[in-house]
């Protein structure tokens, strides 16, 4: 059975569903409508795997990191039993938040009435509760959220019924096998707040067609828009492959051992739907961690990830600084484009636009998005 969406006439959906060479963008309401966003929250965000942290960000027992997973305050915690868990941060007494930010703790003591939880989420202290008849402390542990570790990323999903992540991205995982993504550490994080729908950012990330307009002096000379290609996908993911325009020049960083020459020099942008974004070039990976905050708002962390073994290399700090400056410069160029798109999408006369065959990743994502949003 197919459901309708507000603002989506039948012919609009048919244009999105058309083969790539005939396809159009999503209708404008997909980006601007509060009703569509509410359905995305229910159908997509609360059923999807979200990358929350890298293992090295919670490397020692007691380390924790707070985040928001589709409206649920959560924390990634490295327990003193050496297990990494994703726990709700909502106190089981009267729902105050037991932690904010990041750090290292033996106990999480709620600031409201001082109930204390250990790093596995067990309630170990609930003062002045002696008179509460039948109070079962063991039934008041912090709720554990389903989590999975993939290539050193800790992912979580609010939906207990959702299929596990790794089998869905098996082909994708093999595509990047040589890159040793599990070796990465987060060397630096850049933070941004943006006033756009989350799909504006994902779409911008997933096509190189805009190199000609937006990055004429940065990306286009190095990775020509016309050469970009997108392999077939057999799951909820897409890979954009941008071959190097100068394959004979040496790579900037030493590539991971075992990487083929073209793999070390070409640029790849990948997405596991809906918004797990990686920009991969040889040893360096930019992880765009996206948090939708409403139809017209998002928070973004750009994590500069490098292999742990590069930390020992001379000039590591300069490598991190140089990568951070480059990532910021590129993102500034993209911000201008996305601001412009958002102004256009918000205008009353705007309708669907034609996709270029170079925008195959957007087309792939649109098919998946419609499946989630209109399938029952
Ligand atoms: S709300 Fe946490 S102890 Fe009362
Ligand atoms: Fe860009």
């Amino acid at each position: 059975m197919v459901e309708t969406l507000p603002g989506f006439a039948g012919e609009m959906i048919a244009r999105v569903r058309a083969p790539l060479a005939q396809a159009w963008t999503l209708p404008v309401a997909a980006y601007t409508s509060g009703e569509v966003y509410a359905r995305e929250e229910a159908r997509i965000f609360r059923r999807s795997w979200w990358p929350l942290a890298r293992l090295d960000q919670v490397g020692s027992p007691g380390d924790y990191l707070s985040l928001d997973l589709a409206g649920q305050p959560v924390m990634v915690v490295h327990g003193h039993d050496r297990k990494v868990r994703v726990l709700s941060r909502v106190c089981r007494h009267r729902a105050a938040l037991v932690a904010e930010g990041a750090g290292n703790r033996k106990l999480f003591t709620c600031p409201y009435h001082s109930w204390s939880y250990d790093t596995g989420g067990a309630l170990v202290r609930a003062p002045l509760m002696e008179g509460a008849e039948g109070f079962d402390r063991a039934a008041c542990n912090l709720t554990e959220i389903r989590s999975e570790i993939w290539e050193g990323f800790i992912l979580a999903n609010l939906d207990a019924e959702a299929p596990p992540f790794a089998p869905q991205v098996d082909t994708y995982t093999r595509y990047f096998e040589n890159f040793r993504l599990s070796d990465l550490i987060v060397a630096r994080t850049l933070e941004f707040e943006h006033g756009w729908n989350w799909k504006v950012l994902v779409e911008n990330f997933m096509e190189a067609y805009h190199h000609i307009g937006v990055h004429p002096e940065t990306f286009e000379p190095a990775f020509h828009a016309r050469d970009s290609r997108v392999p077939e996908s057999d799951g909820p993911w897409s890979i954009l492959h941008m071959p190097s325009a100068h394959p004979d020049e040496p790579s900037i960083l030493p590539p991971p051992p075992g990487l083929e020459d073209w793999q070390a020099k070409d640029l790849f942008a990948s997405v596991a739907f809906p918004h797990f974004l990686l920009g991969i070039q040889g040893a360096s990976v930019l992880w765009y961690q996206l948090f939708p905050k409403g139809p017209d708002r998002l928070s973004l962390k750009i994590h500069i990830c490098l292999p742990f073994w590069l930390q020992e290399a001379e000039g590591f700090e300069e490598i991190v600084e140089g990568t951070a400056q480059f990532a910021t410069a590129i993102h500034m160029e993209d911000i201008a484009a996305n601001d412009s798109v958002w102004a256009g999408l918000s205008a009353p006369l705007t309708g669907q636009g034609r996709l270029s065959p170079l925008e195959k990743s957007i087309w792939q994502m649109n098919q998946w998005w419609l499946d989630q949003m209109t399938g029952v």
Side-chain angles (χ1 to χ4, degrees), residues 6 29-41 197 294-296 373:
Y31 305 89
T32 56
S33 151
E35 243 179 291
V36 170
Y37 185 81
R39 197 184 290 189
E40 283 181 326
E41 285 185 302
N197 183 271
D296 57 356
M373 295 290 281

Side-chain angles (χ1 to χ4, degrees), residues 204-205 207-208 210-211 214-215 219 288 330-331 333-334 337:
N204 173 263
F205 192 88
E207 51 92 354
H210 76 277
H211 288 187
V214 176
H215 309 295
F219 271 155
Y288 278 47
I330 294 292
H331 190 53
E333 293 178 338
D334 284 320

Side-chain angles (χ1 to χ4, degrees), residues 1 92 148 153 172 179 236 257 296-297 308 328 335 361:
M1 192 178 139
R92 296 296 303 277
E148 196 174 314
F153 289 94
Y172 166 108
F179 288 78
D296 57 356
R297 272 186 325 124
F308 73 88
T328 303
I335 287 174
S361 287

Side-chain angles (χ1 to χ4, degrees), residues 47 69 75 77 88 99 107 115 130 157-158 164 173 178 189 203 245 261 279 287 322 357 364 376:
R47 291 180 181 175
L69 198 180
M75 56 184 172
V77 189
S88 162
L107 288 176
W115 285 23
E130 293 78 14
N157 195 323
L158 291 179
T173 308
N178 289 352
T189 297
E203 292 176 2
D261 196 51
W287 167 29
Q364 288 174 332
V376 177

Side-chain angles (χ1 to χ4, degrees), residues 166-218:
Q168 300 183 64
V169 294
D170 188 44
T171 307
Y172 166 108
T173 308
R174 276 187 277 114
Y175 192 92
F176 289 116
E177 205 164 32
N178 289 352
F179 288 78
R180 304 190 184 206
L181 300 179
S182 56
D183 283 357
L184 296 171
I185 52 150
V186 175
R188 190 169 305 176
T189 297
L190 311 168
E191 300 195 37
F192 301 90
E193 300 288 328
H194 295 306
W196 326 308
N197 183 271
W198 65 279
K199 295 185 293 300
V200 169
L201 185 140
V202 174
E203 292 176 2
N204 173 263
F205 192 88
M206 289 309 300
E207 51 92 354
Y209 182 25
H210 76 277
H211 288 187
I212 52 175
V214 176
H215 309 295
E217 285 159 21
T218 48

